[in-house]
């Protein structure tokens, strides 16, 4: 079974631009969540989608948004990029809604560098 | 609010020595706890999880963790370190009602030397 696939692996953008990251979950998984990983703040939850509905959102500005499609694939968008948005963005998928009985499977991430 | 504290951002052990990575949690309700491992340039891989079935949890690659409510701890251990265990390890707690939201500790980087 193929794992969680994130594209692209690396991105370099300029301040003020916007970016879209893509995540294809494991087949059959309906939940997709996104995390930001930085050396200073560690791993922080961005948002989670289940069957195209956002169920939970982390404490990030409105510049960060996401969506999920009917095939469970998800995208996240960051508008008006800032230097502090440079990070590894991780996507994770799961079969159902609760982490305790449906562990998260992570992709290898998209490394975003903002210059 | 729930939180996780990992004591020691860097741990170094010799190959064959005991690995002990510390994790303490804060939760107002019985928590669900996890350990993840991250190798360079990769995502996170689940090592093991505690979901109240048993206090001693065995995971992959010879790792295990013991849930101690009285100490609010969930330390990760492995009897004998291998060079391939060198990685960053994250302890996490499942957010109450947060569906698949995990709250992670800051991580512990494990170095294994010959």
């Amino acid at each position: 079974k193929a794992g969680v696939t994130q594209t692209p692996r690396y991105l370099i953008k300029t301040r003020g631009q916007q970016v879209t990251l893509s995540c294809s979950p494991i087949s059959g998984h309906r939940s997709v969540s996104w995390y930001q990983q930085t050396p200073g703040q560690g791993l922080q939850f961005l948002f989670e989608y289940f069957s195209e509905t956002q169920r939970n959102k982390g404490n990030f500005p409105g510049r960060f948004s996401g969506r999920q499609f009917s095939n469970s694939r998800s995208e996240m968008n960051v508008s008006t990029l800032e230097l502090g948005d440079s990070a590894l963005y991780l996507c994770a998928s799961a079969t159902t809604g609760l982490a305790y009985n449906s562990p998260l499977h992570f992709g290898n991430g998209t490394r975003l560098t903002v210059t | 609010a729930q939180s996780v504290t990992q004591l020691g951002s860097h741990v170094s052990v010799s190959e064959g020595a005991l690995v002990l990575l510390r994790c303490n949690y804060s939760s107002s309700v019985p928590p669900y706890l996890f350990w993840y491992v991250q190798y360079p340039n990769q995502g996170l891989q689940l090592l093991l999880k505690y979901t109240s079935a048993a206090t001693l949890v065995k995971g992959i690659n010879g790792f295990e963790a013991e849930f101690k409510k009285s100490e609010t701890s969930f330390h990760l251990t492995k009897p004998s370190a291998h060079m391939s265990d060198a990685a960053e390890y994250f302890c996490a707690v499942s957010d109450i009602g947060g569906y698949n939201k995990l709250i992670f500790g800051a991580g512990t980087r494990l170095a294994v030397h010959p």
Side-chain angles (χ1 to χ4, degrees):
Chain A
K1 205 177 212 183
V4 177
T5 303
Q6 292 188 244
T7 56
R9 284 297 309 274
Y10 302 93
L11 265 178
I12 300 176
K13 291 287 187 178
T14 304
R15 266 185 308 174
Q17 290 185 315
Q18 75 164 15
V19 67
T20 300
L21 313 181
S22 180
C23 173
S24 293
I26 292 172
S27 178
H29 286 194
R30 295 166 64 189
S31 167
V32 174
S33 48
W34 290 86
Y35 289 80
Q36 181 196 64
Q37 184 176 24
T38 60
Q41 300 298 318
L43 281 154
Q44 294 186 285
F45 173 80
L46 280 156
F47 27 64
E48 189 257 359
Y49 289 87
F50 185 84
S51 294
E52 302 179 67
T53 299
Q54 185 184 90
R55 298 192 300 184
N56 205 353
K57 190 177 191 304
N59 189 26
F60 279 82
R63 300 185 297 105
F64 291 81
S65 63
R67 59 178 176 169
Q68 185 181 34
F69 302 96
S70 59
N71 61 359
S72 293
R73 191 177 69 86
S74 176
E75 290 181 347
M76 67 163 282
N77 184 78
V78 187
S79 63
T80 319
L81 284 166
E82 299 177 0
L83 295 179
D85 298 333
S86 295
L88 180 66
Y89 290 88
L90 293 166
C91 167
S93 74
T95 53
T96 62
L98 298 172
Y100 68 87
N101 65 359
S102 177
L104 300 185
H105 296 263
F106 284 82
N108 287 333
T110 293
R111 171 83 54 190
L112 172 65
T113 301
V114 182
T115 63
Chain B
Q2 292 173 295
S3 65
V4 171
T5 302
Q6 290 184 242
L7 299 175
S9 59
H10 290 81
V11 170
S12 181
V13 301
S14 299
E15 192 173 20
L18 170 71
V19 175
L20 170 60
L21 304 182
R22 300 177 186 273
C23 172
N24 288 88
Y25 68 90
S26 173
S27 177
S28 58
V29 298
Y32 299 112
L33 296 160
F34 308 81
W35 275 100
Y36 280 85
V37 61
Q38 185 177 34
Y39 298 100
N41 297 317
Q42 293 188 22
L44 280 72
Q45 180 183 9
L46 180 66
L47 279 176
L48 48 81
K49 63 176 181 177
Y50 167 75
T51 58
S52 77
T55 57
L56 183 61
V57 181
K58 294 188 183 298
I60 62 172
N61 301 340
F63 285 94
E64 62 182 36
E66 186 172 9
F67 174 73
K68 291 187 177 180
K69 183 178 179 181
S70 61
E71 299 177 7
T72 61
S73 68
F74 189 56
H75 301 332
L76 181 71
T77 60
K78 181 174 181 178
S80 177
H82 192 272
M83 298 294 288
S84 61
D85 294 326
E88 190 154 21
Y89 293 79
F90 294 92
C91 182
V93 62
S94 180
D95 187 49
I96 301 167
Y99 301 105
N100 283 323
K101 176 181 179 180
L102 294 182
I103 299 168
F104 286 91
T108 296
R109 187 168 298 278
L110 175 66
V112 182
H113 51 86

